[in-house]
Amino acid sequence: MPKANNLELQGGTYHVRMDIPKDVRGAFGGRRILSLSLKTGSREEAMFRRLPILHTWKSQIKAAREGQALPEGWQDNVSAAIDQVDQWTQQAKRARIGEVVPALPMPEPEDVKRAMENPELVAAMTSLIQRRRSDPMGMIKLEDDLARLGKQLIEKQIASNHRLTGEQSQELSLLVKDPSAYKARSPITKARLAAFRMHRLEHHVALKTINQQESKLLNLSEFLQQTGSPLDFDTVTAWLQGMALSSKTKQQYLLAGSMFWQWAMTHEPQWRQTYKGHVNPFEKHTLPTLKGKAKKDAARKAFTIAEVGSLHTAAKKQGLDTLADLILLGGYTGARIEELCQLRTENLITVDDVKMFDIVDSKTVAGIRQVPVHPQLTALVDRLTKSSTNGYLVPTDSNNKYGIRSDALSKAFGRLKTTMGFDRTRVFHSIRGTVITQLVRADVPDRLIKELVGHETGMVTFDVYSDGSSSQQKFDAVAKLPTIPIS
């Protein structure tokens, strides 16, 4: 049975679980329980990761209880069926006047047999034939009658087999009367996006990344629907050209599209059939790039040691004490802002008599590392440890929907540096550049610098086989960082 909060700890790893109500188990293949590993032993992280998965499961249960709704893209199927009826009718009328016409594909025999066994349909056809027999053009007109009857049958079957909203009922009637008025929907449907989302949640892609990419895909879907364009290279090009965004941002749009395309080609049979032989339309796009001086001017720049000190002083004067502490922590570790905000008191460890920050939550594998506490940080770290009320070293009430604790502090830093005259090329991450610059100037080996800031060396010898530098070697390197001037 699922435990409280739908979490269960199995072998040190949390799983999210939910009982499937008896009345809808048939829609889930007879299963009694839904279960998925959250790939974490942290209860706090598991509590956050379970939410989108539970939401998806509850939505599926609700849909199963409410009955079979119309599938995404149903309009395409109806339009195609009505068009087929019209083609059969035209062919039959031409054959009536003696023309030789090519045979059109007909419904499967079983479908014809089932239709002919419908008493209502048989009675209607019999009545039509009897009425048209006395008319010189009766048999030609009969084909039109049969077409109308067939379209009415299609509409009636859909209405009886599905749960339609009032809007869908009106749209269905209009489609049956005039399929040419229908504007094709985007192949990037909400149903496909929901399946894509679930697939990525199961593979533990960050929720923020999933939401950002889904937003980009919805943007493309709206473009396809508004323009009625096919999903191909030229359409994607036109879509990109219509957005006043940087090349870097457009590249992120292409990445979102490409990942969705690859997923659909692997997991969506209908998509594979529709786009069989098509190349990925999100690949091989050439976007403008900055070069030379323009690229250098637009790149992020590191602060000087003096500038880091002035930022700290300004933060203190404005009463932003936590931000001031964060600036010092960044200036003596080179850690990312979220890495610092995720540090807990238990992440202060001692290895071979060296006090270290144990960074266990990072955006990359290389980012999981241990960084010595610089001598200038000893008093600050002791103070933060003693005053902690929730186990975190850096106090902040910020905790957005993605569990990011640094959000408010990052924005506060942005406002602070702007008031001090720094442009968009200087951000909190620039302090990381400051640390790297100072370590280089102190002749710290490149490999050791990468260990301290959490970058891969790019060499199998060090990234795979080596346990890295000793705690003392790391401390000696960090100790070479110059003192940040503060007042």
Side-chain angles (χ1 to χ4, degrees):
M1 292 290 292
K3 305 300 182 183
N5 299 313
N6 295 88
L7 290 179
E8 184 173 89
L9 190 62
Q10 299 179 13
T13 300
Y14 278 100
H15 287 65
V16 57
R17 292 165 61 86
M18 176 183 283
D19 284 328
I20 303 174
K22 292 182 179 179
D23 59 315
V24 296
R25 286 177 184 170
F28 291 85
R31 296 168 64 188
R32 300 179 62 186
I33 293 177
L34 294 171
S35 178
L36 185 67
S37 170
L38 296 173
K39 303 290 186 181
T40 181
S42 165
R43 181 176 177 79
E44 182 177 11
E45 189 173 1
M47 289 285 287
F48 172 71
R49 288 187 179 183
R50 73 194 168 99
L51 296 177
I53 298 172
L54 287 172
H55 175 74
T56 299
W57 285 346
K58 289 176 181 178
S59 297
Q60 291 172 342
I61 290 172
K62 181 181 178 182
R65 277 187 169 143
E66 290 179 349
Q68 186 178 12
L70 281 170
E72 289 284 345
W74 64 271
Q75 298 94 336
D76 292 301
N77 296 330
V78 173
S79 180
I82 299 300
D83 183 62
Q84 187 71 72
V85 170
D86 287 336
Q87 289 187 55
W88 288 332
T89 301
Q90 291 303 315
Q91 293 289 69
K93 288 164 73 173
R94 289 171 62 191
R96 291 283 186 188
I97 61 175
E99 286 190 28
V100 178
V101 294
L104 284 173
M106 296 295 289
E108 293 295 321
E110 187 60 34
D111 295 333
V112 175
K113 180 181 177 183
R114 193 181 307 116
M116 295 309 297
E117 289 175 349
N118 185 323
E120 184 180 347
L121 178 62
V122 172
M125 290 178 65
T126 302
S127 176
L128 286 172
I129 294 171
Q130 289 175 348
R131 190 169 75 246
R132 292 300 186 188
R133 275 179 178 168
S134 58
D135 188 336
M137 292 292 292
M139 300 313 290
I140 297 295
K141 294 179 180 178
L142 175 64
E143 299 299 342
D144 289 326
D145 292 336
L146 292 176
R148 281 191 294 273
L149 183 63
K151 293 176 183 180
Q152 290 171 6
L153 183 62
I154 290 173
E155 182 176 0
K156 188 172 182 179
Q157 282 187 318
I158 292 174
S160 63
N161 293 340
H162 297 276
R163 174 173 43 85
L164 274 64
T165 63
E167 183 180 348
Q168 288 173 334
S169 294
Q170 291 180 0
E171 187 174 9
L172 175 59
S173 295
L174 289 173
L175 269 175
V176 171
K177 292 175 182 176
D178 183 14
S180 64
Y182 168 62
K183 188 176 183 180
R185 297 298 196 263
S186 163
I188 305 175
T189 63
K190 290 182 179 179
R192 284 191 172 122
L193 284 175
F196 181 51
R197 165 181 281 266
M198 194 63 197
H199 171 81
R200 306 197 78 201
L201 285 171
E202 289 173 349
H203 287 76
H204 305 288
V205 177
L207 184 59
K208 183 178 181 180
T209 299
I210 292 174
N211 286 346
Q212 288 176 339
Q213 293 191 341
E214 186 172 298
S215 175
K216 293 174 174 60
L217 290 167
L218 283 170
N219 181 295
L220 172 58
S221 184
E222 290 174 4
F223 178 83
L224 294 174
Q225 188 167 334
Q226 290 170 1
T227 61
S229 303
L231 181 55
D232 57 21
F233 184 90
D234 292 337
T235 298
V236 173
T237 298
W239 172 56
L240 292 174
Q241 290 175 343
M243 295 186 288
L245 301 171
S246 67
S247 293
K248 182 178 180 180
T249 302
K250 288 183 178 180
Q251 194 61 53
Q252 293 172 353
Y253 276 75
L254 289 173
L255 176 62
S258 189
M259 296 196 71
F260 178 80
W261 177 276
Q262 293 169 20
W263 166 82
M265 290 297 282
T266 303
H267 299 281
E268 285 279 301
Q270 184 59 50
W271 186 283
R272 282 200 303 273
Q273 181 178 339
T274 302
Y275 293 101
K276 183 178 181 180
H278 291 234
V279 297
N280 186 332
F282 301 97
E283 293 182 346
K284 299 184 179 179
H285 287 267
T286 302
L287 300 173
T289 56
L290 296 175
K291 295 182 180 179
K293 185 176 183 300
K295 183 175 182 179
K296 182 179 180 181
D297 291 342
R300 285 180 178 173
K301 298 176 178 63
F303 291 110
T304 64
I305 287 293
E307 288 171 339
V308 173
S310 66
L311 285 164
H312 174 272
T313 300
K316 292 289 288 186
K317 286 182 178 179
Q318 293 186 28
L320 304 173
D321 293 340
T322 298
L323 181 59
D325 292 341
L326 197 60
I327 289 170
L328 287 185
L329 288 171
Y332 285 116
T333 62
R336 301 175 178 91
I337 187 169
E338 183 61 18
E339 291 175 342
L340 294 170
C341 288
Q342 289 292 343
L343 284 173
R344 300 180 64 85
T345 53
E346 62 260 32
N347 295 135
L348 285 168
I349 61 175
T350 299
V351 181
D352 296 333
D353 296 325
V354 176
K355 197 169 187 177
M356 314 272 279
F357 294 109
D358 188 18
I359 300 176
V360 297
D361 192 344
S362 179
K363 63 185 292 186
T364 65
V365 173
I368 299 173
R369 62 200 187 278
Q370 294 171 350
V371 182
V373 176
H374 191 282
Q376 292 293 333
L377 288 179
T378 301
L380 170 60
V381 169
D382 288 344
R383 170 168 60 80
L384 291 176
T385 301
K386 291 176 182 178
S387 62
S388 176
T389 58
N390 60 359
Y392 285 103
L393 204 61
V394 177
T396 173
D397 294 330
S398 175
N399 191 6
N400 68 14
K401 62 181 179 179
Y402 302 114
I404 296 175
R405 299 189 73 249
S406 62
D407 193 43
L409 289 166
S410 180
K411 291 175 181 175
F413 181 86
R415 293 190 292 269
L416 176 71
K417 63 98 177 182
T418 299
T419 61
M420 295 179 66
F422 293 109
D423 61 20
R424 61 187 300 174
T425 64
R426 310 292 182 89
V427 294
F428 191 93
H429 205 75
S430 298
I431 299 177
R432 186 170 164 84
T434 305
V435 172
I436 294 173
T437 299
Q438 296 305 318
L439 291 173
V440 169
R441 292 177 179 177
D443 292 325
V444 175
D446 177 71
R447 172 186 53 76
L448 183 48
I449 292 175
K450 289 178 177 178
E451 284 184 51
L452 290 170
V453 299
H455 286 163
E456 290 185 355
T457 68
M459 300 174 65
V460 174
T461 303
F462 296 113
D463 292 335
V464 178
Y465 294 104
S466 174
D467 286 334
S469 305
S470 69
S471 301
Q472 189 60 50
Q473 286 175 307
K474 291 178 180 179
F475 177 83
D476 292 342
V478 167
K480 292 181 180 180
L481 289 171
T483 300
I484 297 172
I486 58 176
S487 57

